[in-house]
Amino acid sequence: MTRLPEPQDPLFRRLNASISFDIRLWPQDVRASKAHARALRRAGILANDELSAIERGLETVGAELEAGTFEVAADDEDIHMAIERRLTELAGPVGGKLHTARSRNDQVATDLALYVRERAERARELIVALMSRLLALGERHADWPMPGYTHLQRAQAIYLGHHLLAYFWMLERDAIRFDFAARSTMALPLGSGALAGVDWELDREEVARELGFARPAPNSVDAVANRDFALDYVTAAATCGVHLSRLGAEVVLWSSEEFGFCQPADDFSSGSSIMPQKKNPDAAELLRAKAPRIAAAHSRLLGVLHALPLAYSKDLQEDKEALFEATDQLELCLEAAERMLAGLSFNRERLAAAAGDELLAATDLTDLLVRRGMPFREAHGVIGGLVREAVARGRRLSELTPEELRSHSELLDEEYYEVLRDGAWIESKRSAGGTASGRVAEQLDRARAVLSAIREEGA
């Protein structure tokens, strides 16, 4: 019974109910409820036989939910009340004792923190699998020349392995963000009550240890109002989704006939309903399109939390669908990205032909003049003039004669042609983090060490 004598309007019940989506929190609710029951026993609120009855009842409820045989009643507003209602049907009136020293406010916050921690750890596992795939591809294609791009225009030659490893390092940052999201769940809300604490001296330290939290939340108001951990997860998910969208976009471009750099596997492509010749990179395209969907979940959760007064408001019920959307879509995309890359094949000849465009060596020619004492900006203009002349005459840079070179600068001699020698301008990028073979080898070694460390931290 509550202070409200009138039954709720059916329309309000529809608006107010959340069991259609928060039912997925049942494993966390059952787990936290068991820990709470044991805390009640330690505080002398439950007798041994009462604790046993509650634990048996929760086991049965959990089994029903897992098997899909749990029947939701018309009055079940959310999964938390549904579990308590079913527990009382199974265990009798003692089931009603479980909610002693607990509010739905600290109960829901605890369940959600457990859920976020599990999903953050799962995201990290999937990221590690994708990093491992990228590392293997980087090793296999460490010496495959390709053009690097700025503004989607050919810029400088690099190795394919170097390019692929760029995504490895993006994902390392994603793993760090999800690790932070998992750590941000480590203050236990349970025991904070509705907002002010509870009237019972519970051993919150023991409950925290049992549920894997680092400590009880030190402030009961903050504990029930806090959704930062959910925001940390969706922030990490939105960023990771953007990274995956960039990977997908490049696969879409590279697999087109215009580029011809790669070919997706048949089992991660689709055909056309009307054009028999088509092989569409749908998986890569969907990686692009899923990113804003995940980002929208981030914006949605920010909107729920924005300007929300302390401590608890019903607005916080709206945090879950945004979070669930982000977890579902991100995990799907991470798994799909790894599988897509596993079947991706690259066209070495097409990549090499594009990387052989001598215009990609223009910066190296500029540096040749700089080494001979010419200021960089002046050298930049000289080589720009050479490029214009070669393009106008329809010739490669190496096809310009020594006389034509000297007409632009007396500093240009036979070494000009050495710079343009096949592959020389890739190997010249020997600065730390560059694309020269030795630097790519160092990068691969470092990537292996980083991946091993991440795996050990997650073990």
Side-chain angles (χ1 to χ4, degrees):
M1 292 289 291
T2 70
R3 62 171 287 180
L4 307 177
E6 297 296 324
Q8 291 180 336
D9 186 290
L11 183 59
F12 172 71
R13 290 182 63 82
R14 283 178 55 204
L15 176 69
N16 193 49
S18 61
I19 194 164
S20 63
F21 52 86
D22 67 19
I23 193 169
R24 73 162 63 188
L25 292 175
W26 75 260
Q28 293 78 24
D29 196 77
V30 168
R31 181 183 172 198
S33 292
K34 289 178 181 178
H36 182 65
R38 288 188 278 271
L40 294 177
R41 175 65 194 96
R42 288 190 295 271
I45 298 167
L46 292 178
N48 283 332
D49 60 334
E50 291 176 320
L51 172 62
S52 296
I54 287 174
E55 288 182 322
R56 286 194 302 271
L58 288 171
E59 284 289 333
T60 300
V61 172
E64 290 176 351
L65 282 158
E66 188 168 21
T69 59
F70 185 92
E71 294 185 7
V72 175
D75 291 339
D76 288 340
E77 178 182 312
D78 57 37
I79 187 57
H80 319 287
M81 296 300 290
I83 287 175
E84 184 177 331
R85 184 263 309 161
R86 180 60 176 145
L87 171 65
T88 303
E89 291 174 356
L90 292 166
V94 70
K97 289 190 174 185
L98 178 61
H99 208 56
T100 307
R102 183 176 75 171
S103 163
R104 264 191 297 179
N105 295 355
D106 61 341
Q107 179 182 4
V108 172
T110 300
D111 294 352
L112 204 63
L114 289 170
Y115 176 85
V116 167
R117 190 185 312 155
E118 291 171 11
R119 293 342 307 161
E121 290 169 353
R122 176 58 178 157
R124 197 169 177 275
E125 290 173 4
L126 293 171
I127 286 168
V128 167
L130 184 52
M131 290 173 73
S132 180
R133 177 65 60 191
L134 285 162
L135 176 57
L137 287 171
E139 291 170 332
R140 194 179 311 148
H141 304 93
D143 60 349
W144 288 33
M146 69 169 290
Y149 293 84
T150 61
H151 308 277
L152 206 54
Q153 304 296 315
R154 290 178 184 173
Q156 293 178 314
I158 59 175
Y159 288 120
L160 175 57
H162 187 62
H163 188 104
L164 292 169
L165 286 171
Y167 289 103
F168 179 96
W169 301 113
M170 286 187 200
L171 289 164
E172 182 204 18
R173 297 192 294 273
D174 289 325
I176 292 169
R177 276 183 279 269
F178 281 109
D179 186 56
F180 177 82
R183 292 202 309 272
S184 71
T185 68
M186 298 307 286
L188 171 72
L190 202 59
S192 298
L195 81 159
V198 296
D199 297 346
W200 308 86
E201 193 67 37
L202 301 180
D203 188 349
R204 295 186 68 212
E205 294 282 355
E206 180 58 31
V207 175
R209 280 191 292 272
E210 185 173 345
L211 293 176
F213 290 84
R215 64 188 186 283
N219 183 288
S220 58
V221 174
D222 178 55
V224 299
N226 176 29
R227 294 298 186 273
D228 287 0
F229 49 85
L231 190 58
D232 290 335
Y233 178 95
V234 294
T235 300
T239 304
C240 187
V242 167
H243 291 161
L244 296 177
S245 79
R246 299 180 77 175
L247 174 63
E250 293 206 315
V251 171
V252 171
L253 287 170
W254 291 359
S255 61
S256 68
E257 288 296 325
E258 285 69 20
F259 279 76
F261 289 174
C262 69
Q263 187 78 242
D266 289 351
D267 61 354
F268 259 72
S269 304
S270 69
S272 165
S273 63
I274 189 172
M275 295 170 284
Q277 83 282 7
K278 293 294 296 296
K279 182 178 181 180
N280 299 324
D282 285 6
E285 291 172 344
L286 286 167
L287 290 181
R288 292 187 309 193
K290 294 286 189 182
R293 187 168 171 179
I294 298 170
H298 176 255
S299 297
R300 183 175 174 183
L301 184 54
L302 274 176
V304 169
L305 298 175
H306 167 70
L308 195 63
L310 297 177
Y312 180 86
S313 298
K314 191 69 171 181
D315 308 51
L316 288 175
Q317 179 171 292
E318 291 297 306
D319 59 2
K320 296 169 192 64
E321 284 185 292
L323 175 63
F324 298 158
E325 172 80 351
T327 59
D328 290 348
Q329 297 304 316
L330 181 74
E331 291 177 15
L332 175 63
C333 287
L334 284 168
E335 286 193 79
E338 194 278 329
R339 290 275 298 281
M340 178 188 72
L341 289 181
L344 200 64
S345 59
F346 292 93
N347 187 325
R348 187 167 194 165
E349 291 72 25
R350 192 73 174 257
L351 287 160
D357 180 353
E358 290 182 349
L359 294 180
L360 304 184
T363 302
D364 300 80
L365 295 172
T366 301
D367 288 340
L368 172 63
L369 292 175
V370 170
R371 285 196 297 271
R372 295 183 172 185
M374 185 180 289
F376 177 83
R377 193 53 60 196
E378 181 182 346
H380 185 281
V382 169
I383 300 304
L386 271 176
V387 169
R388 284 194 302 273
E389 181 172 347
V391 171
R393 294 175 182 270
R395 291 153 62 186
R396 291 163 59 88
L397 288 173
S398 61
E399 292 172 344
L400 295 175
T401 67
E403 292 75 18
E404 288 170 328
L405 299 184
R406 284 194 294 273
S407 71
H408 289 270
S409 173
E410 290 294 332
L411 296 177
L412 292 172
D413 57 17
E414 290 300 317
E415 192 175 349
Y416 168 92
Y417 300 103
E418 284 298 309
V419 171
L420 295 175
R421 183 172 47 82
D422 184 36
W425 59 82
I426 302 183
E427 289 302 322
S428 67
K429 302 301 184 292
R430 54 185 180 274
S431 59
T435 194
S437 296
R439 293 304 190 181
V440 172
E442 291 173 355
Q443 185 183 174
L444 286 167
D445 286 340
R446 184 179 177 191
R448 293 183 197 101
V450 164
L451 190 57
S452 177
I454 292 175
R455 284 174 171 152
E456 287 179 8
E457 289 167 7

